[in-house]
Amino acid sequence: MNYKRLLVSLLVAGASLTSSLANAYTDLQQPHDYDQVAKELTEMLEAVHYNRPTIDDRISASAFDLYLDSLDPTKSFFLKSDIDKLSKHRLELDDALRDGKTQIAYDIYNLYMHRVEDRLNKLVKELPDMVSNFDYTKEENLNVDFDTIQWSETPQVLDEYWRKRIKNRALTLKLNDEPVDKIASVIEKRYRNQLKQIEQTEPADVFQTFANSITAALDPHTTYFAPRASETFNINMSLSLEGIGAVLQYDDDYTKVVRLIPGGPAEKQNELAPNDRILAVGQDNKEMVDVVGMRLDDVVDMIRGERGTKVYLEIQPAKGDGQTTKTINITREKVKLEDQAAKKKIINVERGGETYKVGVIELPTFYSDFAAIQAGDRDYKSSTRDTKKLIEELRQEGVIAIVLDLRNNGGGSLQEANSLAGLFIPRGPILQFKDTSGRVRVMEDRDPSVTYSGPLGVLVNRMSASASEIVAAALQDYGRALILGGQTFGKGTVQVLQEMDKGQLKVTQAKFYRVSGESTQHKGVHPDIAFPSLLDEKSVGESAQKNPLSWDKIHETRYPVYWEMSDYLPVLEPRHEQRMKEEPNFVALVDQINDVREQASTFKSISLNEEARLQLREEGKEKSIARENKRRKALGLDPITKEDEIEPSEDDPYAQEAAEVMLDFIAANQLK
């Protein structure tokens, strides 16, 4: 097949998107120093991936769709005629990778980039007149439900789609007080930035995108990193570079926040949240740079910087109305081990005229200071050692129960998770692994001592993942702790890094299983007592990923059960639910959750009518003010009149309620 000829024919046959601006993109060709990398990737995936897949036509078909989706996720550049012509190669990507002849991936990419360049040049040319002619009194809507958007049949249909997108951006800027005469230039700057990005595309970028369409067809955690991306990944893993402490990913032309690193600047500031979109990035005394459509590693480079300096982010909050944006600033810091260390606090609970103390141990991650261990430091820090010390301090302070807070704990050292669970049980199995060969191994705590044998709760949420789920699952199966909060993330797989001729492969090689034999994959750990949460299981967690490995079950191990927690739930649940209806912070939270979920269920299109948008914004403000005033009235606080008077509460209603549940548990246990 002459792929160069194919590309030319597609460009001629497809819609002609004329432009008065010069084209800067030069067609990329398959770099032959990646021929062997392609073959090596195929062999490695088939040999070491957990599912031992055969990279065949089935994988090719899935990878083809994923490749197109990674290039044009919002169906903004390709026409249906392009897709129809390219579809004849749906079953050829596996052969291209296996043979090390990946030019077809470059031809598809080149066609895409020409479509992008032509479209953006056209927009830059037409923007001033287009923006000046927008009628914001007209009743029309923009479809933002990307699952329902189809490839445009004609150039005219695509033109109309783009007109509405730009009108939405222009209206958003107008509503955010951008001077009307500046709106066209602000939008134009975005597309000129994207045109500059086109010139910087490198062959390795294309290979990485193509390779990851293959790996994504296997599971969401197997990823190929080209050399530059590999360096970024290693920096993130070591937390050795100053930044804001956020894990980011590229999603539908946007840079999206995946999670915040515990102890990092963004988490401490509490203005950035998972699923927020970053629209622009700025530095001290410099103009904001629009980053929509920009390469993820370039956005990351802009956000990183020297410790003590500020970075400015224009964000579209995930919890907002999907239309309003705001600008925040975060002071860059280096995430230190001590910032992620276990911490304790005591919550006082009033019952029957008496005050009871419940200890809470916050554990942001499972850590161990390997450098100190290697240096022979006997006083090295680790999550287990620090937690044990805090337990002993809490016992001396007279607590009657302990809550282990694993909210937002994304995991860490497996060995630490194993030994930390062992603080609460005598020796015994903690988790099971099954590898690619089907062999099952058991990881167990071999220390017969128990640091704490009293009433224990474990507080989790949707961002509790991996090692956190192992600890919560083990303590739940042993009947050693009540699990409180929300369903956990559901990441029950193990990845290892494999060095390649160029770059690295992070590949799934094993699955976790509970001592009960059930996998934590996909389903996560379900709480015994559920708390309301703003984090939606449909948009966050393993089940929200593409192609997650399935849940399954293996043989259980032998382990004792200390408390049959299900026996206590008929007593605990009604009391918990009653408090949810009465406690002001939770009442306000539930109201907010209902509003957010109602918006999400109906937010399939955006009105392009200014009056309708203003009304929607005002309704949102009025709801926020009413919700806050309802909470403040219940707490005996003065009411507010403006939304910006709402300040983040320093109270932690989740930890307070966890302490209340533990007192209920103690009371119920005394009655048995």
Side-chain angles (χ1 to χ4, degrees):
M1 170 67 72
N2 186 326
Y3 292 120
K4 187 70 175 178
R5 185 177 298 166
L6 167 67
L7 174 62
V8 173
S9 67
L10 285 173
L11 287 170
V12 172
S16 174
L17 302 175
T18 58
S19 170
S20 62
L21 301 179
N23 288 353
Y25 180 74
T26 302
D27 286 357
L28 297 177
Q29 304 299 315
Q30 172 189 354
H32 291 297
D33 53 349
Y34 275 81
D35 294 357
Q36 185 56 39
V37 179
K39 296 176 183 178
E40 185 183 7
L41 181 63
T42 307
E43 295 170 358
M44 197 172 286
L45 289 173
E46 292 184 336
V48 302
H49 188 275
Y50 178 79
N51 281 342
R52 290 286 181 90
T54 299
I55 308 301
D56 55 11
D57 287 352
R58 181 183 61 85
I59 298 296
S60 179
S62 178
F64 179 83
D65 293 333
L66 290 164
Y67 188 46
L68 293 180
D69 188 56
S70 67
L71 296 178
D72 194 1
T74 57
K75 297 181 172 60
S76 302
F77 300 102
F78 280 133
L79 289 169
K80 187 176 184 299
S81 56
D82 294 328
I83 304 304
D84 291 342
K85 289 179 173 66
L86 293 173
S87 290
K88 67 177 69 175
H89 305 289
R90 174 179 292 275
L91 305 182
E92 296 177 4
L93 301 189
D94 57 322
D95 299 320
L97 194 72
R98 187 179 302 279
D99 298 338
K101 298 176 181 178
T102 57
Q103 185 59 41
I104 180 58
Y106 289 84
D107 290 343
I108 295 172
Y109 193 89
N110 289 335
L111 174 60
Y112 165 71
M113 292 303 275
H114 282 296
R115 291 285 185 255
V116 173
E117 187 173 52
D118 288 345
R119 171 60 60 180
L120 298 185
N121 277 329
K122 176 183 173 72
L123 289 174
V124 168
K125 178 185 176 184
E126 297 176 352
L127 259 171
D129 288 340
M130 185 188 297
V131 172
S132 65
N133 289 324
F134 283 148
D135 179 4
Y136 299 116
T137 65
K138 186 177 179 181
E139 294 291 342
E140 57 181 351
N141 294 279
L142 170 67
N143 183 6
V144 292
D145 184 2
F146 296 130
D147 291 336
T148 65
I149 294 175
Q150 304 297 315
W151 300 107
S152 297
E153 295 277 355
T154 66
Q156 291 74 27
V157 172
L158 193 55
D159 287 345
E160 177 63 6
Y161 177 41
W162 271 99
R163 183 192 68 80
K164 288 186 175 181
R165 286 181 59 173
I166 292 170
K167 185 176 183 181
N168 175 58
R169 179 60 176 160
L171 180 54
T172 299
L173 289 169
K174 187 172 187 289
L175 295 176
N176 288 339
D177 299 322
E178 186 72 39
V180 174
D181 59 343
K182 300 283 188 182
I183 289 175
S185 61
V186 170
I187 299 174
E188 180 182 332
K189 188 175 295 181
R190 167 186 291 185
Y191 297 125
R192 288 196 180 277
N193 284 337
Q194 286 186 249
L195 284 167
K196 288 180 182 178
Q197 291 296 312
I198 289 174
E199 302 173 39
Q200 299 171 23
T201 306
E202 299 176 355
D205 302 327
V206 181
F207 182 83
Q208 177 174 281
T209 302
F210 169 61
N212 281 327
S213 69
I214 300 287
T215 62
L218 304 181
D219 80 276
H221 303 292
T222 295
T223 309
Y224 168 74
F225 300 104
R228 181 182 177 188
S230 179
E231 179 184 353
T232 298
F233 176 76
N234 291 336
I235 288 172
N236 286 338
M237 289 299 288
S238 65
L239 301 177
S240 61
L241 199 70
E242 284 76 17
I244 64 171
V247 177
L248 310 174
Q249 74 178 30
Y250 188 77
D251 181 58
D252 290 349
D253 276 347
Y254 291 91
T255 297
K256 187 176 78 172
V257 178
V258 179
R259 63 182 177 89
L260 304 181
I261 296 172
E267 194 231 19
K268 290 178 180 178
Q269 182 171 314
N270 200 32
E271 286 193 273
L272 198 64
N275 287 337
D276 285 356
R277 288 174 165 179
I278 298 175
L279 306 181
V281 179
Q283 316 298 332
D284 274 330
N285 303 317
K286 291 186 179 179
E287 199 171 305
M288 298 285 284
V289 176
D290 195 302
V291 298
V292 177
M294 188 178 289
R295 288 164 44 127
L296 178 62
D297 47 10
D298 288 329
V299 178
V300 170
D301 286 344
M302 293 171 65
I303 293 175
R304 286 192 184 124
E306 293 182 8
R307 184 186 313 180
T309 61
K310 287 185 178 180
V311 61
Y312 296 80
L313 305 177
E314 181 190 352
I315 63 171
Q316 185 180 70
K319 296 176 184 176
D321 57 15
Q323 304 170 43
T324 306
T325 66
K326 67 176 182 178
T327 299
I328 64 175
N329 68 80
I330 301 174
T331 301
R332 300 176 175 105
E333 295 177 19
K334 185 172 182 178
V335 181
K336 303 172 184 176
L337 184 60
E338 52 264 34
D339 292 329
Q340 298 199 339
K343 300 178 179 66
K344 69 176 172 69
K345 64 182 178 182
I346 290 178
I347 292 179
N348 294 317
V349 181
E350 302 290 337
R351 289 285 175 93
E354 304 239 1
T355 300
Y356 300 92
K357 295 180 179 179
V358 175
V360 177
I361 297 176
E362 300 172 4
L363 188 63
T365 188
F366 290 90
Y367 57 89
S368 185
D369 191 345
F370 295 111
I373 294 172
Q374 291 174 348
D377 184 353
R378 294 185 178 182
D379 196 30
Y380 68 88
K381 292 184 71 64
S382 80
S383 50
T384 302
R385 290 163 65 104
D386 291 349
T387 300
K388 183 175 182 178
K389 180 180 177 183
L390 295 178
I391 289 172
E392 291 166 350
E393 292 175 2
L394 288 170
R395 292 176 68 177
Q396 291 176 3
E397 294 175 75
V399 301
I400 64 168
I402 288 178
V403 174
L404 180 63
D405 187 353
L406 299 181
R407 286 176 296 171
N408 304 317
N409 183 321
S413 167
L414 271 182
Q415 185 58 52
E416 281 298 313
N418 181 70
S419 58
L420 188 134
L423 295 178
F424 306 102
I425 60 171
R427 70 170 75 215
I430 301 297
L431 73 149
Q432 303 182 79
F433 292 96
K434 187 168 76 171
D435 62 22
T436 54
S437 66
R439 182 181 59 181
V440 175
R441 292 181 295 121
V442 177
M443 194 175 205
E444 56 186 294
D445 168 45
R446 298 182 182 278
D447 185 352
S449 65
V450 177
T451 302
Y452 178 72
S453 59
L456 178 67
V458 178
L459 188 54
V460 294
N461 65 5
R462 191 59 169 168
M463 298 307 292
S464 303
S466 194
S468 295
E469 297 177 280
I470 289 168
V471 171
L475 296 177
Q476 186 178 52
D477 289 338
Y478 273 86
R480 184 59 194 87
L482 275 169
I483 309 303
L484 313 170
Q487 180 183 355
T488 62
F489 192 92
K491 184 182 182 295
T493 57
V494 186
Q495 287 72 43
V496 297
L497 275 177
Q498 300 275 0
E499 294 295 328
M500 299 184 65
D501 182 57
K502 288 186 180 296
Q504 294 175 304
L505 176 66
K506 178 167 69 77
V507 58
T508 298
Q509 280 199 336
K511 285 176 76 173
F512 296 132
Y513 293 86
R514 303 166 68 138
V515 292
S516 66
E518 296 184 354
S519 172
T520 57
Q521 171 63 15
H522 212 298
K523 292 185 178 181
V525 178
H526 288 263
D528 299 308
I529 302 290
F531 290 12
S533 172
L534 278 167
L535 294 174
D536 182 13
E537 289 84 1
K538 294 180 181 178
S539 59
V540 179
E542 188 77 1
S543 56
Q545 308 285 326
K546 292 180 179 178
N547 300 320
L549 295 190
S550 60
W551 179 91
D552 63 342
K553 187 175 181 179
I554 60 175
H555 291 297
E556 68 176 3
T557 60
R558 297 184 64 181
Y559 60 95
V561 176
Y562 296 102
W563 275 298
E564 289 288 352
M565 294 301 182
S566 59
D567 292 347
Y568 296 90
L569 299 186
V571 175
L572 303 184
E573 285 179 334
R575 295 180 181 180
H576 164 68
E577 290 168 3
Q578 186 63 35
R579 283 192 297 271
M580 293 298 94
K581 295 176 183 177
E582 297 174 353
E583 205 285 318
N585 287 310
F586 270 114
V587 171
L589 178 63
V590 170
D591 286 345
Q592 184 182 6
I593 291 169
N594 292 335
D595 286 343
V596 169
R597 293 188 176 173
E598 182 183 353
Q599 285 180 1
S601 65
T602 59
F603 188 60
K604 305 298 182 182
S605 66
I606 298 177
S607 173
L608 302 180
N609 178 280
E610 183 173 9
E611 186 176 337
R613 288 274 279 269
L614 284 170
Q615 181 179 347
L616 185 65
R617 177 182 288 188
E618 286 307 309
E619 288 174 355
K621 288 181 179 179
E622 288 172 6
K623 283 183 178 180
S624 294
I625 293 170
R627 185 166 55 238
E628 175 64 9
N629 281 335
K630 181 180 177 182
R631 185 186 76 87
R632 295 172 73 88
K633 182 179 180 180
L635 293 172
L637 302 173
D638 293 333
I640 60 169
T641 57
K642 297 178 181 178
E643 190 180 31
D644 57 13
E645 293 179 273
I646 301 175
E647 297 180 354
S649 174
E650 294 183 2
D651 296 331
D652 184 352
Y654 291 94
Q656 182 69 41
E657 176 58 18
E660 297 276 1
V661 172
M662 293 313 299
L663 249 69
D664 288 342
F665 174 72
I666 292 170
N669 193 55
Q670 289 172 344
L671 293 174
K672 287 181 73 73

